[in-house]
Amino acid sequence: MAMFGEFQALDEEVKELLQNYRHKRATAYEPCTLTNFKECLIGLHEEFGLLNINYIFNPYLDVDGNTLRSEAVVNLTNSVWTLLHTFKNLQHKTDALEERNHILEHSNKTLNGLVDKLKGKICLEKNESKACVASAQRIADRSDDVLQKLTEARAKLLQVTKQKDANERKLHNEITRLKQQNEKLTDRLRDKDVHTHSDKRSYVACRNITSDREEYIKHLKGIINKFDKNNQMLMQEVLKLKEELIFRGMDQFTLDKKS
């Protein structure tokens, strides 16, 4: 109870100093004078303690009357010196960090510029890719029509080829039949003496039949040649159609890419 009464009897400033010292809080700064230097030194003691600087001040032991003892001055000087070196080291580190920060800011600006260029390039490539995809889609759509036409052309070519083969088989059979007839007529003519025959009409008829047969064979060969030429022309047209379709697709792809 006596200690509580003594605490209540202390000045308000001393109470504040004791409370701040107890809770490790810094005190408010006040200009130091000859009348309050003890309180200021107590405040320095608290501030140094917060900065982990060993400074001890006891107003009952370090003050003789109103004069600060020499040991207290030495302790205060050492603490200030320690504080000064700590400040210089921190200042050096701060300058180094500021310089490094400046370099990093410059590098960051450079990187930002490169990133912006890269973004622009990526955007351009995306647009080109979209254009290529659209062009490829258009070509694919047109290729369906081209494929349909090519399929129809192949079907027509197959039909013509089948018709040509059928005609060739028919002509071959007809030629075989005519050859057999020719052989029969030749055998009959060999068995007879044309010069001693009383009637010359048989010889003339045979010769006419032989001549007609040769003319018919020539006619059939002409038809076969005509079919072969038509077949070759049709194949050439199909090849030209394929080349034209390919070149049209390439030209369209080039135009779409430029656009």
Side-chain angles (χ1 to χ4, degrees):
M1 295 294 296
M3 292 181 63
F4 180 75
E6 291 178 358
F7 179 77
Q8 291 294 330
L10 293 175
D11 294 336
E12 293 296 331
E13 293 180 358
V14 177
K15 290 180 181 180
E16 181 183 358
L17 291 174
L18 291 175
Q19 290 291 335
N20 291 330
Y21 176 76
R22 178 181 178 184
H23 298 288
K24 300 284 185 185
R25 292 198 300 266
T27 57
Y29 171 74
E30 293 182 4
C32 185
T33 62
L34 294 176
T35 58
N36 67 349
F37 74 94
K38 295 180 183 180
E39 291 79 4
C40 290
L41 291 176
I42 293 173
L44 285 175
H45 164 72
E46 295 177 355
E47 295 288 347
F48 281 139
L50 295 176
L51 297 175
N52 294 324
I53 297 175
N54 187 17
Y55 172 67
I56 299 175
F57 174 74
N58 190 338
Y60 300 102
L61 298 178
D62 295 335
V63 178
D64 187 7
N66 288 327
T67 302
L68 190 63
R69 295 173 62 87
S70 300
E71 293 81 359
V73 175
V74 171
N75 290 334
L76 178 61
T77 302
N78 291 332
S79 299
V80 172
W81 187 256
T82 301
L83 179 63
L84 178 62
H85 276 278
T86 302
F87 173 77
K88 289 175 68 177
N89 291 332
L90 291 176
Q91 186 65 36
H92 179 70
K93 291 180 180 179
T94 302
D95 294 338
L97 290 175
E98 287 180 353
E99 183 178 359
R100 185 177 179 183
N101 185 43
H102 179 71
I103 294 172
L104 291 175
E105 286 181 354
H106 180 70
S107 300
N108 190 30
K109 290 180 180 179
T110 304
L111 290 175
N112 287 333
L114 293 176
V115 169
D116 292 337
K117 291 182 180 179
L118 183 60
K119 287 182 179 179
K121 187 176 181 180
I122 291 174
C123 183
L124 181 61
E125 290 180 353
K126 284 183 178 179
N127 294 332
E128 291 180 354
S129 299
K130 290 180 180 179
C132 290
V133 170
S135 178
Q137 185 63 41
R138 289 193 294 270
I139 293 175
D141 295 338
R142 294 178 182 177
S143 64
D144 294 336
D145 297 335
V146 173
L147 182 61
Q148 181 66 26
K149 293 180 180 178
L150 183 60
T151 303
E152 293 176 357
R154 286 180 177 177
K156 186 176 182 181
L157 177 61
L158 181 61
Q159 183 180 1
V160 172
T161 303
K162 289 181 178 180
Q163 184 178 0
K164 179 182 73 68
D165 295 337
N167 291 332
E168 286 180 352
R169 287 193 298 269
K170 183 177 180 181
L171 291 174
H172 180 72
N173 294 330
E174 185 68 21
I175 291 171
T176 302
R177 187 181 65 81
L178 291 175
K179 283 183 178 181
Q180 292 176 355
Q181 290 181 357
N182 185 31
E183 290 175 356
K184 291 179 180 180
L185 291 174
T186 302
D187 293 338
R188 291 176 63 182
L189 290 175
R190 287 175 182 175
D191 294 337
K192 296 181 178 180
D193 188 0
V194 178
H195 298 285
T196 61
H197 202 279
S198 60
D199 191 359
K200 299 293 184 179
R201 288 181 296 179
S202 297
Y203 174 76
V204 174
C206 291
R207 188 174 62 182
N208 291 334
I209 291 173
T210 303
S211 178
D212 293 339
R213 179 182 62 80
E214 291 177 353
E215 290 295 331
Y216 186 65
I217 292 173
K218 289 181 181 180
H219 175 67
L220 293 177
K221 288 182 178 180
I223 293 175
I224 292 172
N225 292 329
K226 185 176 181 181
F227 274 117
D228 289 335
K229 290 181 180 180
N230 291 334
N231 189 20
Q232 291 178 0
M233 290 176 64
L234 184 59
M235 291 295 295
Q236 291 177 358
E237 290 295 329
V238 171
L239 292 175
K240 288 181 181 180
L241 178 60
K242 290 181 179 179
E243 292 178 355
E244 184 178 358
L245 292 175
I246 293 172
F247 285 124
R248 283 184 180 179
M250 294 177 63
D251 294 338
Q252 186 64 35
F253 177 77
T254 303
L255 292 174
D256 292 337
K257 187 175 181 182
K258 290 182 179 180
S259 61

